[in-house]
Amino acid sequence: MLANIRRYKYLDVLTTAFVVILLVSNLIAQKVCQIGPFAVSGAILLFPITYIFGDIFTEIYGFAASRRAIWLGFFGTILLYVMGAIIIALPAASGWHNQEAFAIVFGFIPRILAASLVAFWAGEFANSYTMARLKLLTNGRKLWTRTIGSTIVGQAVDTTLVIVLTFIGVVPLRTLGNMIVTAYMLKVAYEVLATPITYLVINWLKKAEGADAFDRHENFNPFSFAEKNSLDT
């Protein structure tokens, strides 16, 4: 798999950008912002972009490349959480008075941490799997059906899991349902509006890379890292 991935000009740059955006999203998620009538996490402005990256990986480089990026993002997020906890636990120097502020920014509640990791992992793989399957069903035509269709599925999985795992037993079920629907609609609307930009990026990359992956022979097991049998272009 690595031999296939590393021959591309832009894949490593895109993978790095994907992981960075994911990590920054986790850091800014703790601030609640007021956007019109909605009170939303700061991550709502950035995190949906990771699904656009998932579409790009799957459409151009194939499911195997998307799987690699998802796992790198998953372990990068775990490292962020672990190192944040370790640094918070270390005693602050006598002349440094920002311990409380540092703990607020880098201190992650275990339940939220677990919910975020599970939701990210499941949602991203649902998005990439749907994207790859729809591409085969449409024989590579009507890109918008794949970008929007995969978003509808991936964000449904991600949003439902992160809110249920975080708030079940804490807020009433009706409130829980409202939170899921509101967050889901905002995320899907965000990515639908970004469709023209996604089109431009994907079309440019296809020409620049000379690639257009069809995962006809791909093993869609998220835990399979065997070398891809072939890359149909």
Side-chain angles (χ1 to χ4, degrees), residues 51-52 55-56 59 127 130-135 138-153 188 191-200 202-203 206 212:
Y51 280 78
I52 296 174
D55 292 345
I56 292 170
E59 177 73 15
N127 179 81
T130 303
M131 183 83 178
R133 285 299 191 186
L134 286 176
K135 186 168 187 178
T138 60
N139 198 29
R141 298 186 297 271
K142 298 180 180 179
L143 175 60
W144 65 271
T145 62
R146 302 193 292 282
T147 59
I148 295 176
S150 61
T151 292
I152 289 172
V153 174
V188 171
E191 297 200 39
V192 169
L193 291 173
T195 295
I197 298 175
T198 305
Y199 257 72
L200 289 174
I202 285 178
N203 288 334
K206 282 183 177 180
D212 188 6

Side-chain angles (χ1 to χ4, degrees), residues 4-123:
N4 283 329
I5 287 176
R6 289 177 178 171
R7 67 182 177 87
Y8 298 113
K9 290 185 285 188
Y10 299 106
L11 181 54
D12 285 341
V13 173
L14 291 169
T15 302
T16 301
F18 169 81
V19 174
V20 169
I21 289 172
L22 177 62
L23 297 181
V24 173
S25 295
N26 278 276
L27 289 176
I28 65 176
Q30 300 181 70
K31 179 172 179 177
V32 179
C33 306
Q34 191 70 40
I35 302 178
F38 304 107
V40 297
S41 164
I44 197 72
L45 298 177
L46 195 58
F47 181 73
I49 296 175
T50 63
Y51 280 78
I52 296 174
F53 271 84
D55 292 345
I56 292 170
F57 291 139
T58 307
E59 177 73 15
I60 299 168
Y61 306 105
F63 182 83
S66 182
R67 175 170 53 207
R68 174 176 177 259
I70 293 169
W71 278 110
L72 287 172
F74 182 82
F75 288 117
T77 303
I78 291 177
L79 180 61
L80 173 65
Y81 291 155
V82 170
M83 291 308 301
I86 291 173
I87 300 304
I88 289 171
L90 291 174
S94 58
W96 195 74
H97 307 293
N98 298 314
Q99 175 67 16
E100 184 177 353
F102 186 88
I104 290 173
V105 175
F106 290 96
F108 299 94
I109 299 171
R111 180 172 179 174
I112 297 177
L113 183 159
S116 297
L117 283 172
V118 170
F120 161 75
W121 186 90

